[in-house]
Amino acid sequence: MAKIIASSVRKGNVLDVDGKLYVVLTAQNFHPGKGTPVTQVDMRRISDGVKVSERYRTTEQVERAHVEDREHTFLYEDSDGFHFMNPESYDQLTMSPDDVGDSKAYLQEGMAVILKTHEGVAIALDLPRHVTLEITETEPVVKGQTASSSYKPAMLSNGVRTLVPPHIQAGTRVVIATEDGSYVERAKD
C-alpha cells in the first residue's frame, strides 16, 4: 500500500479505506476563496458495489491499493459474467456485470482492454479511448439545416444513442469516444 495526497487521486484509482477496496468514479478538487481546499471523491466499494462520496482536505493522505494494470483480450459474455484472457499467459479472468458497468455497451469480441487486478481478482477495466461502431438508425437530413453546430440523434449498433452531424446516414461506420459516448469522426475504413 502506498500513501498519496488526496489532490492526486484520479478516476480509476483503487483506494483502501478502512480495509475495504474502492474504485474511484470521479475526483474533483475545489479551491474556495476562503478556507481549506478539498477533494471530493465519488467511489464504488468493490466487494458489494455500494457507492460512497467522501471529502478530503487536499493535503490529507489516503491509502492507494496496489493494483496491477495488464492488457487482456475480451472473449465473450455469458451467465457467469464477462470473460477476458491474458494474451501472454492465456489465463482467463471473469468480471461480474456490476463491475463492468456501463463499459459493457462498448465491449467487442477480441477487443484489447486494460484490466486492473488486485490479488488476482479483476476489479476494474479501462476501455480503449475510441471504438468504431455502425449507425443503425438516424433521422433524415432536414433541408436548409446547414449550421455546423447542429447535430441529430442516432442509434448505434451497440444500442447506445448519440448525436451525429447531419450528413451521417444509417449504415455509416463512425468513431465514438468510450468515455462519454460522443461522436468523434467518420470511420476511415
Side-chain angles (χ1 to χ4, degrees), residues 89-104:
S89 66
Y90 300 108
D91 290 339
Q92 290 189 21
L93 291 172
T94 304
M95 285 184 76
S96 73
D98 290 340
D99 289 341
V100 173
D102 296 338
S103 301
K104 69 181 173 188

Side-chain angles (χ1 to χ4, degrees), residues 67-186:
V67 175
E68 283 187 46
D69 290 358
R70 189 164 283 144
E71 187 173 298
H72 282 70
T73 305
F74 174 63
L75 298 175
Y76 60 91
E77 175 191 5
D78 64 10
S79 59
D80 295 333
F82 294 82
H83 299 267
F84 299 88
M85 180 185 69
N86 181 331
E88 295 162 9
S89 66
Y90 300 108
D91 290 339
Q92 290 189 21
L93 291 172
T94 304
M95 285 184 76
S96 73
D98 290 340
D99 289 341
V100 173
D102 296 338
S103 301
K104 69 181 173 188
Y106 299 105
L107 282 174
Q108 300 168 353
E109 281 186 25
M111 176 185 275
V113 298
I114 301 296
L115 275 190
K116 295 178 182 299
T117 58
H118 178 72
E119 296 176 359
V121 178
I123 55 175
L125 83 138
D126 287 338
L127 292 171
R129 292 186 61 203
H130 300 109
V131 293
T132 303
L133 297 166
E134 189 173 321
I135 301 289
T136 56
E137 64 181 70
T138 186
E139 296 173 2
V141 176
V142 177
K143 276 201 183 295
Q145 188 178 21
T146 57
S148 61
S149 64
S150 64
Y151 280 76
K152 62 183 182 178
M155 182 66 76
L156 298 168
S157 56
N158 63 355
V160 174
R161 295 189 78 69
T162 191
L163 294 172
V164 296
H167 66 274
I168 301 291
Q169 300 299 322
T172 305
R173 291 178 50 80
V174 294
V175 176
I176 300 295
T178 55
E179 187 175 349
D180 58 2
S182 63
Y183 169 85
V184 176
E185 62 183 358
R186 184 181 220 145

